[in-house]
């Protein structure tokens, strides 16, 4: 969509398309945005302004993620060297529903480029070998092969892609433009129709749904790896202050020093106490005691700990924006308002 917006000078729509790419999949955005930037630079440089507006429209999303990256651990647990497809896997048609990586040879996921895309790519190499999308496909195919490891080591930023086969997405974007270029070059509409028919015919066998063993909710609720785990491989995702907690806490809050009791945020303390709140500490969390915010800090296990004087108190935990996040939000809001004003004038 973003490429079409550039080609047809849909400026406002381009900004929203760029924002949509970033918000839908930040890793694929790292792959697509350079291609889109180069395409706009080569074809219509005034559109670059709207390209950057789209990027700034999502500053509330990516700016804190980049700045606060050091606050979390376990963001990348994947060894990219285990996920390079072989040349044969790119060229030979195959279909599997398994995983990629070492030890998944049986029913391993498919890495194939596809018969029709390969034919179109070879034809494009002959007809217009220096076009952006031909070059982009060549670079993507090279970086998907194990022989490109020196490049991956030279450019550490590439490891954020995690799986080299993700670069197959470049082919998905490039192929429609190459097919359109070929049919337009020779002014043969029947060729375009033939490409569509053949593409559907060669991929029809892959439409058969995969059958999995039926599993009830009890299957997942009875296994701690699902109920007590994190969303990352090996339960490795956490804050940099917090160590992995093998057991789920029995209560949201507990007294770690002092005497008293806490029930549903209502504390009855006989002495001054330190209260641990079983929430991983992270900038933005605050504890409100009797309507007043209290200073919080991480304890030895990375949880939120707060000092509470003796007596009866109500304790609440809130998560709010940091000053930096507020600035990023403001940038996004200004861009959104500017786009609406521009759209209203068109």
């Amino acid at each position: 969509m973003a490429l079409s917006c550039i080609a047809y000078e849909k400026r406002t729509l381009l900004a929203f398309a760029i924002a949509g790419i970033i918000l839908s999949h930040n890793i694929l955005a790292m792959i697509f945005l350079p291609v889109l930037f180069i395409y706009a630079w080569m074809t219509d440089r005034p559109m670059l302004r709207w390209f950057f507006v789209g990027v700034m429209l999502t500053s509330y999303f990516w700016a804190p993620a980049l700045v606060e990256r050091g606050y979390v651990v376990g963001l990348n647990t994947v060894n990219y060297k285990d996920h390079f497809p072989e040349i044969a896997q790119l060229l030979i048609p195959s279909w599997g529903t398994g995983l990629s990586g070492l030890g998944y040879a049986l029913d391993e996921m498919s890495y194939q480029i596809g018969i029709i895309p390969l034919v179109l790519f070879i034809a494009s190499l002959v007809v217009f070998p220096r076009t952006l999308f031909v070059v982009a496909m060549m670079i993507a195919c090279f970086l998907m092969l194990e022989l490109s490891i020196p490049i991956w080591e030279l450019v550490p930023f590439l490891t954020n892609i995690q799986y080299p086969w993700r670069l197959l997405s470049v082919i998905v974007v490039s192929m429609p433009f190459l097919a359109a270029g070929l049919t337009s070059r020779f002014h043969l509409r029947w060729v375009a129709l033939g490409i569509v028919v053949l593409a559907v015919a060669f991929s029809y066998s892959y439409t058969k749904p995969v059958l999995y063993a039926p599993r009830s909710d009890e299957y997942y609720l009875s296994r701690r790896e699902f109920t007590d785990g994190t969303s990352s491989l090996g339960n490795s995702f956490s804050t940099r202050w917090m160590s992995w907690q093998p057991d789920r806490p029995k209560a949201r809050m507990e007294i770690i020093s002092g005497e008293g009791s806490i029930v549903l945020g209502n504390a009855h303390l006989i002495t001054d106490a330190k209260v641990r709140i079983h929430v991983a500490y992270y900038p933005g969390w605050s504890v409100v005691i009797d309507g007043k915010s209290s200073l919080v800090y991480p304890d030895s296990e990375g949880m939120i700990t707060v000092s509470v004087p003796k007596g009866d108190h109500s304790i609440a935990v809130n998560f709010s924006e940091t000053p930096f996040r507020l600035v990023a939000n403001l940038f996004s809001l200004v861009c959104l308002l500017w786009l609406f004003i521009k759209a209203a004038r068109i």
Side-chain angles (χ1 to χ4, degrees):
M1 179 180 177
L3 287 168
S4 300
C5 291
I6 297 173
Y8 292 100
E9 298 184 351
K10 301 294 183 180
R11 296 173 296 179
T12 304
L13 194 57
L14 172 63
F16 284 112
I18 295 297
I21 293 172
I22 296 173
L23 295 178
S24 61
H25 202 294
N26 49 6
I27 295 179
L28 289 183
M30 290 168 20
I31 298 173
F32 290 149
L33 292 186
V35 177
L36 294 171
F37 179 88
I38 296 172
Y39 180 73
W41 179 271
M42 294 174 61
T43 59
D44 192 350
R45 293 187 183 182
M47 293 296 288
L48 288 175
R49 179 174 65 173
W50 300 88
F51 179 97
F52 286 114
V53 169
V55 173
M56 295 308 300
L57 187 60
T58 56
S59 60
Y60 76 93
F61 170 75
W62 57 262
L66 291 178
V67 171
E68 298 176 7
R69 182 182 176 89
Y71 297 160
V72 293
V73 295
L75 284 176
N76 192 353
T77 60
V78 177
N79 184 359
Y80 70 91
K81 294 181 180 180
D82 295 336
H83 300 277
F84 284 103
E86 298 178 1
I87 295 180
Q89 292 175 306
L90 294 177
L91 301 179
I92 299 175
S94 63
W95 187 248
T97 57
L99 303 175
S100 70
L102 303 177
Y104 290 103
L106 183 62
D107 201 33
E108 189 177 29
M109 65 171 287
S110 174
Y111 306 98
Q112 63 162 318
I113 295 173
I115 295 176
I116 302 304
L118 278 173
V119 172
L120 293 174
F121 177 57
I122 294 172
S124 299
L125 279 174
V126 176
V127 178
F128 28 71
R130 297 182 181 179
T131 59
L132 170 63
F133 297 108
V134 170
V135 174
M137 282 188 61
M138 294 176 65
I139 294 175
C141 290
F142 172 73
L143 291 176
M144 281 190 287
L145 300 177
E146 195 170 2
L147 58 88
S148 68
I149 286 180
I151 304 299
W152 287 76
E153 294 176 342
L154 184 64
V155 186
F157 182 78
L158 287 174
T159 60
N160 292 317
I161 297 176
Q162 298 179 322
Y163 305 98
W165 48 257
R166 272 188 171 140
L167 292 167
L168 285 167
S169 57
V170 174
I171 298 172
V172 174
V173 174
S174 302
M175 234 352 94
F177 273 78
L178 294 179
L182 288 171
T183 55
S184 176
R185 179 71 171 268
F186 297 104
H187 305 286
L188 296 175
R189 293 186 178 181
W190 61 266
V191 173
L193 180 60
I195 291 173
V196 173
V197 172
L198 289 174
V200 173
F202 278 102
S203 60
Y204 180 76
S205 61
Y206 305 140
T207 60
K208 184 178 180 180
V210 181
L211 298 178
Y212 295 100
R215 291 174 177 173
S216 63
D217 291 344
E218 182 61 27
Y219 174 86
Y220 297 98
L221 294 175
S222 62
R223 286 166 169 75
R224 289 186 55 192
E225 62 267 28
F226 296 116
T227 60
D228 296 349
T230 71
S231 60
S232 64
L233 297 174
N235 292 322
S236 58
F237 185 76
S238 184
T239 67
R240 67 180 178 89
W241 300 277
M242 183 178 177
S243 57
W244 169 243
Q245 306 297 309
D247 299 310
R248 180 183 289 238
K250 296 180 179 180
R252 182 71 180 271
M253 301 179 187
E254 68 171 331
I255 299 171
I256 57 176
S257 68
E259 299 182 7
S261 62
I262 301 178
V263 179
L264 298 176
N266 296 311
H268 175 69
L269 302 178
I270 301 174
T271 63
D272 292 347
K274 285 188 177 181
V275 175
R276 172 181 292 162
I277 301 167
H278 289 285
V279 173
Y281 172 81
Y282 196 83
W285 282 109
S286 64
V287 175
V288 180
I289 302 176
D290 299 328
K292 297 182 180 180
S293 294
S294 177
L295 180 66
V296 300
Y297 53 90
D299 60 18
S300 59
E301 296 185 359
M303 302 286 189
I304 294 175
T305 301
V306 63
S307 298
V308 184
K310 68 178 181 178
D312 295 330
H313 305 279
S314 64
I315 304 175
V317 185
N318 297 325
F319 187 78
S320 58
E321 302 285 40
T322 62
F324 180 81
R325 294 182 209 143
L326 287 174
V327 172
N329 293 346
L330 182 60
F331 268 103
S332 294
L333 181 60
V334 169
C335 288
L336 183 62
L337 293 175
W338 185 78
L339 282 172
F340 279 137
I341 291 172
K342 287 291 185 179
R345 291 178 179 178
I346 296 176

